[in-house]
Amino acid sequence: MHVFVTGGTGTIGSAVVAELLGHDHTVLALARSDRSAQTLERAGAKVLRGDLADLDVLRAGAAQADGVISLAFGRDYGSPDALTRAITEESAALTALGQELIGTDRPIVTVSGTPWVPGRASTEADPLPTDGPVGGRGRSVTALLDLAPRGLRSMAVRMPRTVHNEGKGGFAGLLADAARRTGVAGHPGDGTQRWPAVHALDAAVLFRLVLESAPAGTSWHAVGDEGDAVRDIAAVIGRRLGLPVGEVPQDTFGPFGPIFAMDQPASSAHTRDALGWQPTHPGLLEDLEHLQP
């Protein structure tokens, strides 16, 4: 399959590109810079130059592909306004890609977050939230899945709060960044809230499986760890960075503060059973041992 990939140099995207190329697919990847283009070419992908906001470029990439994996998201989300802009840009891109593929029965796989459900681990059957700081992502992903009856094999892979590789990435990575900035490996509240996590290389396998075989209009959970307590995550970060561990205000983490404070475990039982996906790489707490002071 010839696959058009956006976001192919990120933590998830670079693993997805390698996974596709390692399983006899070819890749055309969007690149916004010379550096990204060089990285993708070294990996073995062909490059389409453009930005996520270049909707005509996105349509051209999708038109010449047998399938699409959409992973790109804005890099600036340090403020509520910046996060809103990134979500708006992503929504427009998904709309353009989906409209281009209507009637072709080709697959398009996009990414979202696992939902949170009070009192239990969320499952693939739970709807995405459509309000709150990231509600716009839920609305745009749901709209893409709703195109399935119109000749589009649209699917979503829901990612946990931390997608990690070599101790970097996701919400745990943001915790580590905040620790380096403030001198405290902090957590909001008492730290008993749980975050799901997955190794990027395991997530990449799931993206490939969904692209190859998942039914239209379906959602899947790329969850390796159902829920690690945030205080346990902070404890490893503190030990690795040589910093004290303790409670810090939510606003330490900017627009993500309210999300950081939530208990949000997630299950991938259905995904594992239906697609035969089995994570094999280190869990988050083990992987965080790669953090360097």
Side-chain angles (χ1 to χ4, degrees), residues 100-113:
E100 181 64 33
L101 295 176
I102 284 175
T104 67
D105 290 321
R106 297 176 194 166
I108 177 170
V109 187
T110 191
V111 63
S112 69

Side-chain angles (χ1 to χ4, degrees), residues 2-191:
H2 186 53
V3 187
F4 178 48
V5 177
T6 73
T9 58
T11 300
I12 305 170
S14 58
V16 168
V17 168
E19 175 72 15
L20 292 172
L21 292 171
H23 286 79
D24 298 324
H25 298 292
T26 59
V27 173
L28 174 67
L30 186 72
R32 70 177 94 195
S33 68
D34 290 341
R35 182 177 179 180
S36 293
Q38 292 167 2
T39 298
L40 290 163
E41 288 171 345
R42 284 196 299 269
K46 294 183 178 179
V47 168
L48 180 64
R49 290 300 299 265
D51 191 87
L52 190 62
D54 298 330
L55 301 184
D56 287 341
V57 173
L58 297 183
R59 294 185 188 100
Q64 59 187 291
D66 302 312
V68 174
I69 296 180
S70 176
L71 300 170
F73 191 72
R75 297 180 178 180
D76 180 9
Y77 35 82
S79 70
D81 287 345
L83 181 60
T84 297
R85 288 193 296 272
I87 290 172
T88 299
E89 181 180 67
E90 179 191 48
S91 178
L94 283 182
T95 298
L97 290 167
Q99 292 294 322
E100 181 64 33
L101 295 176
I102 284 175
T104 67
D105 290 321
R106 297 176 194 166
I108 177 170
V109 187
T110 191
V111 63
S112 69
T114 52
W116 55 90
V117 180
R120 64 168 173 84
S122 67
T123 73
E124 295 86 346
D126 290 313
L128 292 176
T130 55
D131 54 10
V134 294
R137 297 195 82 185
R139 293 191 294 272
S140 61
V141 170
T142 300
L144 183 71
L145 296 179
D146 287 345
L147 295 177
R150 299 177 62 186
L152 179 65
R153 189 159 67 86
S154 52
M155 294 83 63
V157 175
R158 296 173 173 180
M159 307 302 296
R161 299 298 170 262
T162 295
V163 182
H164 55 91
N165 193 352
E166 298 294 315
K168 300 175 182 177
F171 276 15
L174 294 178
L175 280 185
D177 291 343
R180 292 186 175 99
R181 186 178 69 251
T182 65
V184 177
H187 50 77
D190 64 7

Side-chain angles (χ1 to χ4, degrees), residues 255-274:
F256 290 113
I259 304 174
F260 273 29
M262 297 178 67
D263 184 52
Q264 47 197 293
S267 167
S268 58
H270 171 68
T271 295
R272 298 182 192 217
D273 290 345

